[in-house]
């Protein structure tokens, strides 16, 4: 190539580059001018669109909007989405109000790849993504009447926007690292940080409004929470979880690594109170929920869950008996009574428990030891857990069928029938215990009762009891062989020693060595009066234990009474 041709070609590229550069600059200037002119129109459209789509319930405000026509992006600054309380109150009077309101604030909202010309000329809005980075979200529950059923057809979201637009499609909406607070009215119930939500494939048009595979017009709504940790309001526990994941479309929720960790060791924890207080140490490897009606929860404030699965898990409960009991009636904490106090109508069709180890320990100030009863590998099913008035009118009983190993040795099956509407907290329970060595109970009988079991084998046991907040009555069959015990005390150095005479008298005069099934078997009818400070499980085990004492021949020895509660 000669020198002259080379310079001619180079001039051409300079000229072409200059033209392209000029066009880019021109387009940039046009984009800036159009953006500036479109700002007021777009601002009005956004505000009117939100108000129209929510039937006036929500208003959106923002400080500024930055629109880039070349890249098709828009950024809104200092955004707030707030409910109009006047409109909400009108909807409430007309029985059309939603159960939940939302308040959202964030510094920036980014909208990617907006088809500006398509939206303007074809009335179709198409977006690749909407990103909300680090928003603050308040979800407020209000108890509202159920939405009334009317013959008047309610307008769909598409029908509300159809005068202005033919369709809206969004590839995804991402909420990143949100602070989420849940309120019951003005009372904050829970606070969550670092919550992420991902909504995919949103479409609003004439056909999708009838698409039953979509929820809130999307193909999938997923949410995730990682590494959550917080301290309870009383500063006595730390709550932790590794992961929480769920899908509105899939109607599921899974929690892994949930822990409730006490701040103090057992005795130190209890002594921070002036009365007895249960200390809980919980570790649930997995909790999963299936068949959740998220739409009903949002629209009507009613929770429906088809199935909950708990476990594997470890539950450790501790009580210090050196303190007086609180001056309250613990019947309010019976499981089926506590269920009534849930703030929203709830139905759980089935609760499945698998591989849950439960330990309940008590500190005896006399022996200065902790006796712990252990229920190993608790498995079972509880059905029809509900406080929903409509469900209760036709199905007012919950049923539990549970199997466990007491102290890891005695296989026990218990069936419980809860009357969910009984004012006296009535329930019935019956169960069976298979053969086991009684010496396995020494771990609790020695520290709590100063009794050691030297020998004895249970061949079988059966109980059938009716109970309520007032007490219990039922039948206990306790069959065993070769029962021998020794009474214990402490010497001057605090070491355990045998009460020889008392042990001899107990084994010779009181305790019956055997109770063998047959015509001569001792079958005990038990009546037990409950004191207000006795818990649900205290009532259950004391009734059965009373029957076992009667069958063994030591019913004439009075059981230790619960101490008087601390007066207010």
């Amino acid at each position: 190539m000669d020198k002259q041709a080379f310079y001619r070609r180079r001039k051409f590229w300079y000229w072409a580059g200059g033209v392209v550069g000029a066009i880019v600059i021109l387009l940039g200037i046009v984009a800036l001018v159009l953006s500036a002119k479109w700002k007021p129109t777009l601002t009005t459209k956004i505000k009117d669109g939100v108000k129209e789509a929510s039937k006036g319930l929500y208003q959106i405000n923002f400080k500024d909007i930055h629109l880039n026509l070349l890249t098709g992006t828009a950024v809104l600054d200092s955004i707030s989405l707030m409910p109009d309380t006047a409109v909400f109150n009108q909807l409430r009077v007309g029985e059309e109000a939603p159960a939940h309101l939302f308040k959202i604030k964030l510094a920036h909202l980014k909208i990617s790849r907006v088809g500006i010309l398509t939206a303007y000329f074809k009335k179709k809005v198409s977006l690749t993504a909407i990103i909300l980075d680090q928003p603050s979200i308040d979800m407020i529950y209000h108890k509202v009447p159920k939405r009334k059923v009317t013959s008047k057809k309610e307008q769909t979201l598409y029908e509300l926007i159809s005068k202005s637009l033919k369709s809206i499609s969004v590839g995804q909406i991402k909420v990143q690292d949100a602070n989420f607070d849940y309120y019951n009215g003005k009372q904050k119930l829970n606070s969550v940080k670092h919550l992420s939500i991902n909504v995919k494939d949103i479409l609003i048009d004439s056909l999708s409004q009838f698409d039953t595979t979509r929820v809130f017009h999307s193909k999938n709504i997923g949410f995730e929470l990682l590494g959550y940790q917080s301290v309870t309001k009383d500063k006595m526990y730390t709550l932790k979880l590794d992961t929480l994941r769920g899908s509105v479309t899939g109607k599921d929720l899974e929690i892994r690594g949930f822990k409730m960790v006490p701040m103090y060791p057992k005795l130190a924890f209890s002594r921070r109170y002036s009365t007895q207080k249960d200390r809980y140490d919980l570790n649930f490897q997995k909790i999963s929920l299936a068949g959740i009606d998220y739409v009903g929860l949002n629209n009507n404030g009613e929770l429906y869950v088809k199935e909950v699965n708990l476990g594997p898990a470890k539950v450790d409960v501790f009580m210090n008996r050196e303190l007086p009991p609180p001056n309250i009636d613990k019947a309010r904490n019976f499981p089926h009574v506590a269920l009534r106090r849930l703030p929203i109508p709830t139905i759980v069709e089935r609760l499945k428990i698998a591989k849950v180890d439960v330990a309940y320990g008590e500190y005896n100030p006399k022996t200065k030891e902790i006796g712990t009863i252990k229920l190993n590998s608790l498995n079972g099913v509880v059905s029809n857990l509900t406080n929903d008035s409509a469900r209760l009118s036709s199905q007012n009983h919950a049923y539990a069928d549970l199997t466990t190993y007491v102290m890891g040795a005695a296989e026990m099956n218990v069936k419980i029938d809860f009357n969910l509407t009984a004012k006296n907290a009535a329930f019935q329970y019956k169960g069976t215990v298979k053969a086991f060595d009684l010496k396995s109970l020494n771990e609790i009988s020695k520290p709590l009762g100063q009794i050691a079991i030297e020998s004895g084998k249970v061949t079988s046991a059966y109980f059938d009891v009716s109970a309520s907040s007032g007490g219990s009555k039922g039948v206990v069959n306790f069959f065993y062989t070769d029962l021998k015990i020794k009474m214990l005390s402490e010497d001057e150095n605090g070491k355990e020693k045998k009460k020889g005479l008392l042990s001899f008298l107990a084994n010779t005069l009181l305790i019956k060595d055997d109770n063998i099934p047959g015509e001569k078997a001792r079958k005990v009818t038990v009546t037990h009066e409950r004191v207000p400070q006795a818990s649900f499980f205290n009532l259950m085990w004391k009734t059965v234990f009373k029957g076992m004492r009667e069958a063994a021949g030591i019913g004439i020895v009075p059981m230790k009474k619960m101490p008087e509660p601390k007066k207010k």
Side-chain angles (χ1 to χ4, degrees):
M1 180 184 297
D2 61 24
K3 205 170 185 179
Q4 191 174 4
F6 171 77
Y7 281 117
R8 281 201 304 271
R9 185 165 294 183
R10 189 169 67 175
K11 281 183 180 181
F12 170 78
W13 288 115
Y14 282 157
W15 176 81
V19 171
V20 171
I23 292 172
V24 170
I25 293 171
L26 181 62
L27 286 173
I29 295 171
V30 170
L32 287 173
V33 172
L34 288 175
S35 296
K37 286 189 175 183
W38 279 26
K39 264 189 184 182
T41 304
L42 195 57
T43 299
T44 303
K45 285 284 186 184
I46 292 173
K47 291 184 177 182
D48 289 348
V50 170
K51 188 174 182 179
E52 185 179 358
S54 66
K55 299 181 182 178
L57 184 57
Y58 286 98
Q59 297 178 351
I60 189 170
N61 289 292
F62 43 89
K63 185 177 180 180
D64 198 4
I65 181 169
H66 309 282
L67 182 64
N68 189 322
L69 293 176
L70 293 178
T71 61
T73 60
V75 178
L76 281 69
D77 296 333
S78 302
I79 310 116
S80 67
L81 180 73
M82 295 291 164
D84 188 321
T85 53
V87 174
F88 175 74
N89 290 330
Q90 290 174 4
L91 293 172
R92 182 183 244 172
V93 171
E95 298 182 3
E96 296 179 346
H100 291 94
L101 292 178
F102 291 88
K103 294 180 180 179
I104 302 174
K105 293 181 180 179
L106 69 158
H108 304 287
L109 184 148
K110 184 179 179 181
I111 303 172
S112 301
R113 296 189 181 180
V114 187
I116 301 295
L117 297 178
T118 304
Y120 186 78
F121 292 108
K122 296 185 178 181
K123 306 299 181 185
K124 292 182 179 181
V125 175
S126 179
L127 317 174
T128 300
I130 299 175
I131 300 173
L132 291 77
D133 192 25
Q134 297 182 328
S136 169
I137 304 172
D138 292 348
M139 183 176 180
I140 306 108
Y141 169 74
H142 293 276
K143 190 171 183 178
V144 297
K146 270 193 175 183
R147 294 191 177 189
K148 61 183 180 181
V149 179
T150 63
S151 57
K152 182 181 177 181
K153 183 184 176 184
E154 190 172 334
Q155 282 187 301
T156 64
L157 181 56
Y158 169 74
E159 289 170 339
L160 290 170
I161 67 166
S162 59
K163 293 179 181 178
S164 306
L165 296 168
K166 291 182 179 179
S167 68
I168 298 175
S169 65
V170 183
Q172 66 174 339
I173 299 175
K174 294 183 72 174
V175 179
Q176 300 177 155
D177 200 19
N179 290 336
F180 178 85
D181 295 324
Y182 185 79
Y183 292 81
N184 185 355
K186 294 182 179 179
Q187 181 184 6
K188 184 189 286 190
L189 296 182
N190 205 354
S191 181
V192 173
K193 296 183 183 298
H194 311 303
L195 175 67
S196 296
I197 302 171
N198 195 1
V199 186
K200 293 184 177 180
D201 189 7
I202 303 99
L203 179 62
I204 305 169
D205 63 12
S206 59
L207 296 177
S208 67
Q209 62 179 327
F210 305 113
D211 187 349
T212 56
T213 65
R214 294 179 178 271
V215 177
F216 299 126
H217 300 281
S218 72
K219 279 292 185 181
N220 187 42
I221 302 174
F223 51 90
E224 181 179 68
L225 182 63
L226 302 175
Y228 172 74
Q229 180 170 319
S230 70
V231 177
T232 56
K233 286 184 179 180
D234 60 5
K235 311 296 183 185
M236 297 300 284
Y237 294 96
T238 299
L239 300 178
K240 301 177 180 180
L241 64 83
D242 295 335
T243 60
L244 180 151
R245 291 189 179 93
S247 168
V248 175
T249 313
K251 299 183 178 182
D252 59 12
L253 174 66
E254 182 178 279
I255 300 168
R256 287 187 176 270
F258 172 76
K259 297 178 182 179
M260 188 165 85
V261 184
M263 293 287 198
Y264 306 95
K266 290 180 176 180
L267 289 175
F269 182 99
S270 65
R271 288 167 180 165
R272 298 183 72 86
Y273 298 93
S274 59
T275 59
Q276 294 172 3
K277 186 83 171 179
D278 288 331
R279 173 190 180 273
Y280 296 93
D281 191 344
L282 309 179
N283 184 353
F284 286 85
Q285 292 183 35
K286 184 178 177 181
I287 304 171
S288 61
L289 290 77
I292 307 169
D293 184 2
Y294 286 104
V295 177
L297 178 62
N298 178 66
N299 292 342
N300 305 315
E302 298 173 346
L303 176 61
Y304 175 87
V305 183
K306 187 174 182 180
E307 185 170 292
V308 178
N309 285 272
L310 295 180
K314 293 184 183 296
V315 177
D316 193 336
V317 186
F318 171 74
M319 170 72 76
N320 185 354
R321 289 296 180 192
E322 72 181 357
L323 300 170
N327 194 15
I328 61 170
D329 187 348
K330 286 190 175 180
R332 70 189 300 270
N333 293 325
F334 283 14
H336 52 313
V337 178
L339 184 62
R340 299 174 195 168
R341 298 202 305 275
L342 290 180
I344 61 174
T346 300
I347 298 173
V348 177
E349 295 284 4
R350 186 167 52 255
L351 167 64
K352 283 186 169 182
I353 301 168
K355 297 180 181 178
V356 177
D357 292 335
V358 180
Y360 176 78
E362 288 188 2
Y363 176 75
N364 185 345
K366 188 174 181 179
T367 62
K368 294 181 172 56
E369 291 184 294
I370 297 173
T372 303
I373 184 167
K374 298 174 182 177
L375 304 178
N376 299 102
S377 193
L378 177 65
N379 295 277
V381 177
V382 186
S383 59
N384 195 44
L385 287 168
T386 183
N387 64 353
D388 180 75
S389 56
R391 169 64 75 96
L392 289 172
S393 63
S394 59
Q395 300 179 52
N396 68 330
H397 284 253
Y399 302 95
D401 190 345
L402 308 170
T403 300
T404 188
Y405 289 85
V406 181
M407 308 305 291
E411 184 179 349
M412 179 174 67
N413 173 260
V414 181
K415 293 178 172 61
I416 310 173
D417 178 350
F418 298 94
N419 187 328
L420 300 177
T421 53
K423 292 182 179 179
N424 66 346
F427 66 100
Q428 294 180 314
Y429 63 101
K430 60 183 178 180
T432 57
V433 182
K434 292 184 178 180
F436 72 98
D437 193 326
L438 276 166
K439 287 189 289 185
S440 62
L441 300 182
N442 277 328
E443 194 173 339
I444 55 173
S445 66
K446 291 171 70 175
L448 298 183
Q450 289 189 290
I451 295 174
I453 300 170
E454 293 187 308
S455 67
K457 294 188 181 296
V458 173
T459 57
S460 65
Y462 170 80
F463 49 89
D464 190 347
V465 181
S466 296
S468 70
S469 58
S472 58
K473 184 177 181 179
V475 176
V476 177
N477 294 336
F478 178 52
F479 303 118
Y480 62 91
T481 60
D482 191 29
L483 177 60
K484 292 287 186 297
I485 68 166
K486 63 179 178 180
M487 311 293 287
L488 303 175
S489 65
E490 295 177 358
D491 62 20
E492 57 186 14
N493 296 318
K495 291 185 178 180
E496 178 187 292
K497 71 174 185 177
K498 179 179 178 180
K499 291 182 177 179
L501 179 60
L502 286 178
S503 298
F504 172 77
L505 292 173
N507 287 315
T508 305
L509 302 177
L510 295 179
I511 291 178
K512 296 176 172 58
D513 293 350
D514 305 304
N515 188 26
I516 300 172
E519 292 183 6
K520 295 182 179 181
R522 296 181 298 279
K523 298 178 181 180
V524 180
T525 299
V526 182
T527 300
H528 178 68
E529 184 178 351
R530 175 185 170 271
V531 295
Q533 292 74 41
S535 67
F536 176 78
F537 294 104
N538 180 279
L539 173 61
M540 288 184 70
W541 79 259
K542 269 204 169 180
T543 305
V544 176
F545 182 59
K546 200 170 183 179
M548 292 170 64
R549 284 166 51 91
E550 291 281 352
I554 56 174
I556 62 172
V557 180
M559 294 176 67
K560 186 178 179 181
K561 291 184 178 180
M562 188 173 287
E564 291 293 320
K566 183 176 180 179
K567 294 182 179 179
K568 292 183 179 180

